[in-house]
Coordinates of all heavy atoms in Angstrom, one line a residue:
K38 N 71.0 -4.2 -83.7 CA 72.0 -5.2 -83.7 C 71.3 -6.6 -83.8 O 71.8 -7.5 -84.4 CB 72.8 -5.2 -82.3 CG 73.6 -4.0 -82.1 CD 74.2 -4.0 -80.7 CE 75.1 -2.8 -80.4 NZ 75.6 -2.8 -79.0
S39 N 70.1 -6.7 -83.2 CA 69.4 -7.9 -83.3 C 67.9 -7.6 -83.2 O 67.5 -6.7 -82.4 CB 69.8 -8.8 -82.1 OG 69.0 -10.0 -82.1
I60 N 64.3 -14.6 -83.7 CA 65.4 -13.6 -83.6 C 66.3 -13.7 -84.8 O 66.9 -14.7 -85.1 CB 66.2 -13.8 -82.3 CG1 65.2 -13.7 -81.1 CG2 67.3 -12.8 -82.2 CD1 65.9 -14.3 -79.8
D61 N 66.4 -12.5 -85.5 CA 67.3 -12.4 -86.6 C 67.1 -13.5 -87.7 O 68.1 -13.9 -88.4 CB 68.8 -12.4 -86.1 CG 69.1 -11.3 -85.2 OD1 68.3 -10.3 -85.2 OD2 70.0 -11.5 -84.4
C63 N 67.0 -16.5 -87.6 CA 67.8 -17.7 -87.5 C 67.6 -18.4 -86.1 O 67.8 -19.6 -86.0 CB 69.3 -17.5 -87.7 SG 70.1 -16.4 -86.5
L64 N 67.3 -17.6 -85.1 CA 67.2 -18.2 -83.7 C 65.7 -18.1 -83.3 O 65.2 -17.1 -82.9 CB 68.0 -17.4 -82.7 CG 68.4 -18.0 -81.4 CD1 69.3 -17.1 -80.6 CD2 67.2 -18.4 -80.5
M144 N 76.2 -22.2 -81.2 CA 76.2 -20.9 -82.0 C 76.2 -21.2 -83.5 O 75.6 -20.5 -84.3 CB 77.3 -20.0 -81.6 CG 77.2 -19.4 -80.2 SD 75.7 -18.5 -79.9 CE 75.1 -19.3 -78.4
I147 N 72.8 -22.3 -84.4 CA 71.9 -21.1 -84.4 C 72.1 -20.4 -85.8 O 71.1 -19.9 -86.4 CB 72.1 -20.2 -83.2 CG1 71.5 -20.9 -82.0 CG2 71.5 -18.8 -83.4 CD1 71.9 -20.1 -80.7
A148 N 73.3 -20.2 -86.2 CA 73.6 -19.5 -87.4 C 73.0 -20.2 -88.6 O 72.6 -19.5 -89.6 CB 75.1 -19.4 -87.6
A164 N 69.1 -17.7 -71.4 CA 70.6 -17.7 -71.2 C 71.3 -18.0 -72.6 O 72.3 -17.3 -72.9 CB 71.0 -18.8 -70.2
I165 N 70.7 -18.9 -73.4 CA 71.3 -19.1 -74.7 C 71.1 -17.9 -75.6 O 72.0 -17.5 -76.3 CB 70.7 -20.3 -75.4 CG1 71.0 -21.6 -74.6 CG2 71.1 -20.4 -76.8 CD1 72.5 -22.0 -74.7
I166 N 69.9 -17.2 -75.5 CA 69.7 -16.0 -76.3 C 70.7 -14.9 -75.8 O 71.3 -14.2 -76.6 CB 68.3 -15.5 -76.1 CG1 67.3 -16.5 -76.7 CG2 68.1 -14.1 -76.8 CD1 65.8 -16.2 -76.4
G167 N 70.9 -14.8 -74.5 CA 71.9 -13.9 -73.9 C 73.3 -14.1 -74.5 O 74.0 -13.2 -74.9
K168 N 73.7 -15.4 -74.5 CA 75.0 -15.7 -75.1 C 75.1 -15.3 -76.6 O 76.1 -14.8 -77.0 CB 75.2 -17.2 -74.9 CG 76.7 -17.6 -75.1 CD 77.6 -17.2 -74.0 CE 78.9 -17.8 -74.1 NZ 79.8 -17.3 -73.0
Y169 N 74.0 -15.6 -77.3 CA 73.9 -15.2 -78.7 C 74.1 -13.7 -78.9 O 74.8 -13.2 -79.7 CB 72.6 -15.7 -79.3 CG 72.3 -15.2 -80.7 CD1 73.0 -15.6 -81.8 CD2 71.4 -14.1 -80.8 CE1 72.7 -15.1 -83.1 CE2 71.1 -13.6 -82.0 CZ 71.8 -14.1 -83.2 OH 71.5 -13.5 -84.4
L170 N 73.4 -13.0 -78.0 CA 73.4 -11.5 -78.1 C 74.8 -11.0 -77.8 O 75.2 -10.0 -78.4 CB 72.4 -10.9 -77.2 CG 70.9 -11.1 -77.6 CD1 70.0 -10.5 -76.5 CD2 70.6 -10.6 -79.0
R171 N 75.5 -11.6 -77.0 CA 76.9 -11.2 -76.7 C 77.8 -11.3 -77.9 O 78.6 -10.5 -78.2 CB 77.5 -12.0 -75.5 CG 76.9 -11.9 -74.2 CD 76.8 -10.4 -73.7 NE 78.1 -9.8 -73.6 CZ 79.0 -9.8 -72.6 NH1 78.7 -10.5 -71.5 NH2 80.1 -9.1 -72.6
T172 N 77.5 -12.4 -78.7 CA 78.3 -12.5 -80.0 C 77.9 -11.4 -81.0 O 78.6 -11.2 -82.0 CB 78.0 -13.9 -80.6 OG1 76.7 -14.0 -81.2 CG2 78.3 -15.0 -79.6
K173 N 76.7 -10.8 -80.8 CA 76.3 -9.7 -81.7 C 76.8 -8.4 -81.2 O 76.4 -7.3 -81.8 CB 74.8 -9.7 -81.8 CG 74.2 -11.0 -82.3 CD 74.4 -11.3 -83.7 CE 73.6 -10.4 -84.6 NZ 73.8 -10.7 -86.1
G174 N 77.5 -8.3 -80.2 CA 78.1 -7.1 -79.7 C 77.4 -6.4 -78.5 O 77.7 -5.3 -78.1
F210 N 76.4 -16.2 -69.7 CA 76.5 -15.2 -70.8 C 77.1 -13.9 -70.4 O 77.4 -13.0 -71.2 CB 75.1 -15.0 -71.5 CG 74.1 -14.3 -70.6 CD1 74.0 -12.9 -70.5 CD2 73.1 -15.0 -69.9 CE1 73.0 -12.3 -69.8 CE2 72.2 -14.4 -69.1 CZ 72.1 -13.0 -69.0

Side-chain angles (χ1 to χ4, degrees):
K38 293 177 184 176
S39 177
I60 301 164
D61 301 335
C63 65
L64 199 176
M144 293 302 127
I147 288 172
I165 294 293
I166 295 173
K168 193 72 170 181
Y169 167 78
L170 293 178
R171 295 303 305 273
T172 70
K173 302 290 287 185
F210 68 86

